[in-house]
Structures are given as C-alpha cells and as structure tokens.
Amino acid sequence: MVERPKGTNDYIHPESSLRKIIVEKISNFFEILGYKPIETPIFESVDLFKRSAGVVSDIVSKEMYEFQDKKGRHLALRPEITAPVVRAIIQNNLLQQQIIKLYYVGSIFRYEKPQKDRYRQATQFGVEYLGIENYIADFELIFSIYKLYQSFNLDVEIHVNSIGCKDCRPQYRQKLYEYFSKHKENLCNDCQRRLEENPLRILDCKNPNCKLISKEAPKSIEYLCQNCDKHHKELTNILKFYNVPLIENHYLVRGLDYYNRTVFEVKFEGVDLAGGGRYDYLVNQISEGKYDMPAIGFAGGLERLTNILKEKQNINKFLGENIKINLVSLTNEADKIITGIYTRIINKIAGKKNSIEVNLMKFEKLSKALKIADKMKANYTLFMGEEEIKEDEITIKNMETGKQEKIKVENFMIKFFEEIINIE
RNA sequence: GUGGGUGUAGCUCAGCGGUUAGAGCAGUGGACUGUGGAUCCACGGGUCGGGGGUUCAAAUCCCCUCACCCACCCCA
C-alpha cells in the first residue's frame, strides 16, 4: 500500500491531543504578551529564502524543497517562517505601525535524513517582534521564552552571544579569517570551504581539530563596536538580574545568515528546543532597501517539545479528562427515547466549552455494552432496555463504583447534569 | 550527503538452512440468556518489508531495493 513520505509523521491520539493542547498553551501565552497570530503560505518564491536566509546556509542551499509550478514559477516549501512573516508584514503594509508583535505555529519543510527530533515536515512556533532596537526588546523576548518553557515545567538554559552589527562584524570576520587562515591545513574540509564563505561558522564546527583551533580564536565580543557592546552587556545584565539561566557562548553562531547582534539558543539537557536572534537588516533586505525596521524573533520546534514532555513527564496532566458518557439503547423500542435524550444532550452541550464526551450506541446484550464501556474507560453507561421501557425510566450506571440507579426519563436532564455529574 | 542497526500476527518480540512459522499481550466467541473489570476454554489472524540469487530445501545465507531507528553533518 501507499505509505506516508519519508520523514513525515501521522499524529494520532494521545499525541495528537497533546500537540493540540501544547499549541493552545503557547498561543495563549503569547497573546497575553500582546502578540497576534499570523498565517502565511507554506510555499513561497525561492528567492525569498535565497535572499534572506542566505545561500551559504545549508538550510537554503541544500535542504530546501524546491519545485516549479505549471507556469514555471520557482517555488519552495518554506524551510523557516521568519522570512515569510517579514514578507507578509511588508506586503500588507503593517510597517505603518510603530511596533509589530506576531506569533505563528506552522509547518516547515527541510530535505534531510530523518532521525530523532528531525523530520522532513516539522512544526515550528515562534514570534517576531519588530520596531524596537533597544536591548529591552531582546530582554522581553528571551525572558518570555524562558517563562514559556518554565510553564511546561522545563528549566531550560539560554545560550546567548552577540555577533555584532554591519559596522563591527566585518572587522571581526577579518580577524577570524586571518586567524583561521594560519591554521588552514588543520581544518576539516567543510571548514576550509567555510573560511572563504563565512568564517564565523567554523566556530560552530564539531570536528575535534576545528574545535581545538576555535578555542584560541578571537571572540566576537572582543571586537564589538561600542553600541553593540553596550547592547549586549545591558541585555545579559538584566537577564542575570532576573535569574534567567544564561550561558554566554561566544562561539554561538546560527544557521541562518540574517542575524545580527543578539543570537541565542534554548537548550534542555543538551537538546536544542528553540533558537533566535536579532535581525535588524532583514526588513531592508526583503523590501529591497525600501524600508527599515529593527526586529528580533525566535522559533521553537513543536516535535522536540512534545518528545521531551513525553519522555520526562506524565502527559496525562496536560491532557485533562472528559467525563465520558455512553448512551445505549438495548431494544428497538428504546431507540426513539434514547435518541431523544441524545439530541437533548447535544443541544445542551454543543458549541460550549465543557468536558463531556457522549457516545450514542446500540447493543443487543447489556454485558456487551458494559464491556465496551469498560474498554473505552467510560465514566457512565446510560442504558434502556425492556425493563426500563415499561416504567419510562433510564438506568444510569457509574462505571467506577458500579453503582446504578433508575430515573424517570422526564427528569433525566436535570437529575443527570445537576445532581450526578454537576454540570449546569 | 556519510556511517551503523533493525524490518516476522494489530502491538512487543522469539525462531537464524530442515515437518504445516511461534509466544505473550490485544481481538472475537463461549463458560456467565439484563450487568463490565478477574479466571478458564476455544477461535480468528502472517505473501517472515519488497525483488532477485545460492540450495534438494531460505524467515534463516548472498546481492539489490524500500522503510524505520541511531550517530555524524546540519538544525527546530
């Protein structure tokens, strides 16, 4: 049979429920902080990503799902969502506003070999905060991300660095280039290539030799201009003041090329849960020089978050429990009354936020009905057969205690909802 | 893209040249005719991932392929 494409997933209960609840929690969290939802297409012009994220990055140069449509347009499934959001901001004239705060949850696509926490279709959530150049925006964002993960009972570490701005980065880059050039023969093949394209990324290499060489490499903070240095110090000071677990990692470089100044990653027990940074030039780049607006943002992986929650915590505490009710007709005569009760229950609860689940069923044998209810972990089985019909009654059985009682059909709604399960 | 591991029942796995491929759990039916969970009994279910080869004989050995898992690269 036809199976799902490599690196993709089907999500079924309970994981699908867990994902839904996590997304709701994240959405609520950011709405409280003034962020509004945004959705953009899952495919965009290839150019958008090539110009923004940078041709040097693996994400864009090697891992993008590119295709042409029937008119020959060059399109790509989005490998990240920041560039599309910035494009949408410009295209919809949101730049009229002084401050733009947006959040999103959506799929990204990267053509890579799948493994743990890495899929070809993945879900990212994130925010983009535009309009404030001051370190206070960096603080707002990083602090809120820290609190977001804390709300899932995860005490994450924030790894942070500053990679400077267009004024000071070239100098640093030059220093790095000079330094690594001296050790060129000892660098791995990838890094020899990186030396010409983007020497900053050598710092990120996991090759032991490169790591050793990187250890003595000039650090970005030593070359920051006055403004960048001030920005970075103010940010780290205030984060420390509010006890955010900060790890200053002066070799932290991100995979997308549009960042400047602050870059950070969120880690839990060695797993990268999220990453982000400042991208003050991206609006200018995407609008082809027409507009300017400072910005900062982050993106987190939904699959990594759910996987950690599944591994580390009892997910039932996130799932919440419905009161599950099985409504069973045992005879043809009972059908009409049972369906009547069913429609009244639906009228009462439909569209409201409550925690009831109702299943309408028919069985010949009561023992079968109870067995099914047991398997389904139903809280109540309500049934009507020959016995009940005669007296115009329905039996309500509590599946946990085994106790049951008969009530008159005419009193059912009030008795059951108000006296038995306590829902108005 | 590189390297390693695993594919046998719905699930977890055993079998690793030799009858008709097994177990536990799950499923269905019954013991028990309107009262579930426990116990016991019976039953159903498999092109042994797919293709090719070696052999009298292949789930088992060899080759190819696909999928999943893990590590590297890279990253969410």
Side-chain angles (χ1 to χ4, degrees):
Chain A
M1 75 156 235
V2 181
E3 289 171 351
R4 92 176 85 85
K6 184 169 181 156
T8 61
N9 285 300
D10 302 313
Y11 295 104
I12 56 177
H13 180 80
E15 186 164 12
S16 54
S17 303
L18 181 63
R19 285 166 62 88
K20 177 188 159 237
I21 285 160
I22 289 172
V23 167
E24 280 170 2
K25 277 192 71 157
I26 292 168
S27 304
N28 290 339
F29 184 89
F30 285 116
E31 298 226 4
I32 289 168
L33 301 178
Y35 293 87
K36 301 297 182 197
I38 183 167
E39 294 181 46
T40 64
I42 63 166
F43 60 90
E44 297 270 358
S45 284
V46 168
D47 285 352
L48 176 64
F49 303 109
K50 292 224 162 140
R51 269 193 299 201
S52 61
V55 248
V56 186
S57 81
D58 283 7
I59 293 173
V60 169
S61 64
K62 300 202 299 212
E63 298 176 354
M64 211 153 56
Y65 276 92
E66 293 181 47
F67 62 97
Q68 287 183 36
D69 71 6
K70 295 188 179 188
K71 275 229 168 133
R73 299 178 182 95
H74 289 76
L75 303 170
L77 298 182
R78 61 186 184 195
E80 61 104 28
I81 305 189
T82 296
V85 167
V86 169
R87 192 227 81 230
I89 286 169
I90 297 164
Q91 191 165 357
N92 293 283
N93 297 317
L94 301 186
L95 291 174
Q96 306 287 326
Q97 302 165 24
Q98 300 285 309
I99 285 177
I100 305 164
K101 296 175 86 171
L102 301 168
Y103 78 91
Y104 59 82
V105 180
S107 294
I108 58 147
F109 303 84
R110 294 181 190 176
Y111 190 89
E112 326 179 71
K113 202 160 175 178
Q115 59 185 273
K116 188 174 167 61
D117 289 334
R118 305 182 64 168
Y119 311 103
R120 291 185 172 182
Q121 177 174 356
T123 311
Q124 282 192 347
F125 53 86
V127 312
E128 311 299 346
Y129 183 7
L130 290 84
I132 297 189
E133 191 174 6
N134 194 275
Y135 77 95
I136 209 83
D138 307 40
F139 166 72
E140 193 258 47
L141 185 76
I142 293 174
F143 186 74
S144 62
I145 294 165
Y146 172 60
K147 286 292 162 187
L148 173 68
Y149 284 101
Q150 212 173 47
S151 77
F152 287 104
N153 298 316
L154 298 175
D155 285 314
V156 296
E157 289 172 345
I158 311 283
H159 293 235
V160 65
N161 191 22
S162 175
I163 56 172
C165 63
K166 62 178 188 297
D167 295 328
C168 55
R169 187 145 50 147
Q171 290 173 38
Y172 175 56
R173 206 180 143 128
Q174 184 58 32
K175 289 282 173 196
L176 267 187
Y177 181 77
E178 286 166 13
Y179 173 79
F180 283 122
S181 293
K182 281 187 282 182
H183 299 85
K184 190 169 178 182
E185 316 80 71
N186 296 321
L187 293 171
C188 70
N189 291 339
D190 280 332
C191 284
Q192 295 194 12
R193 173 177 57 83
R194 287 177 185 129
L195 182 60
E196 302 302 326
E197 290 171 344
N198 189 353
L200 269 83
R201 310 198 75 228
I202 299 175
L203 297 171
D204 212 22
C205 186
K206 305 297 186 297
N207 179 297
N209 279 334
C210 301
K211 261 187 160 165
L212 212 67
I213 297 167
S214 291
K215 248 189 172 155
E216 305 295 319
K219 295 175 178 177
S220 58
I221 42 155
E222 293 163 1
Y223 293 88
L224 293 181
C225 63
Q226 219 174 356
N227 287 340
C228 287
D229 187 53
K230 186 162 172 272
H231 186 100
H232 185 64
K233 287 206 170 92
E234 284 172 327
L235 173 63
T236 52
N237 283 342
I238 193 166
L239 287 170
K240 282 176 193 160
F241 180 77
Y242 288 106
N243 295 316
V244 175
L246 218 55
I247 294 181
E248 290 203 53
N249 176 355
H250 299 304
Y251 301 125
L252 177 60
V253 185
R254 308 234 60 245
L256 300 160
D257 291 349
Y258 49 62
Y259 289 110
N260 67 296
R261 284 194 174 165
T262 308
V263 291
F264 61 90
E265 287 179 352
V266 179
K267 290 184 187 244
F268 181 79
E269 295 184 1
V271 178
D272 282 16
L273 287 177
R278 192 160 264 289
Y279 51 93
D280 295 327
Y281 312 128
L282 188 58
V283 169
N284 184 286
Q285 257 180 314
I286 291 180
S287 69
E288 293 169 346
K290 215 168 160 191
Y291 304 105
D292 267 303
M293 193 176 255
I296 186 164
F298 93 101
L302 182 64
E303 288 75 24
R304 291 183 181 192
L305 177 55
T306 53
N307 283 348
I308 281 192
L309 293 177
K310 279 197 301 189
E311 281 167 28
K312 301 285 173 190
Q313 300 183 17
N314 175 14
I315 62 167
N316 289 326
K317 87 179 164 203
F318 292 105
L319 290 178
E321 280 165 30
N322 286 337
I323 297 173
K324 196 180 269 193
I325 300 159
N326 279 13
L327 187 59
V328 182
S329 168
L330 295 169
T331 69
N332 290 341
E333 294 74 49
D335 285 355
K336 202 154 215 175
I337 304 168
I338 286 292
T339 51
I341 289 174
Y342 181 70
T343 57
R344 273 187 280 164
I345 294 175
I346 299 304
N347 285 339
K348 182 179 174 67
I349 66 176
K352 292 188 188 159
K353 185 152 180 68
N354 47 40
S355 47
I356 298 175
E357 178 183 326
V358 188
N359 300 288
L360 175 66
M361 331 181 111
K362 178 160 185 178
F363 293 104
E364 306 270 307
K365 289 184 183 172
L366 178 58
S367 61
K368 177 99 173 176
L370 293 171
K371 199 164 198 164
I372 296 276
D374 193 54
K375 290 261 154 61
M376 291 170 65
K377 295 188 165 62
N379 302 89
Y380 294 93
T381 303
L382 318 188
F383 58 89
M384 180 178 265
E386 280 176 33
E387 270 182 34
E388 288 82 4
I389 285 269
K390 286 181 207 151
E391 307 295 329
D392 208 26
E393 289 173 336
I394 181 165
T395 300
I396 298 174
K397 185 178 181 76
N398 181 320
M399 297 303 289
E400 282 131 78
T401 64
K403 285 185 184 152
Q404 63 186 57
E405 61 176 307
K406 287 183 181 167
I407 58 174
K408 294 286 182 194
V409 170
E410 61 195 81
N411 299 330
F412 171 79
M413 291 302 283
I414 290 174
K415 276 211 99 154
F416 184 69
F417 280 93
E418 290 178 17
E419 292 177 26
I420 296 176
I421 62 172
N422 259 315
I423 288 175
E424 292 276 319

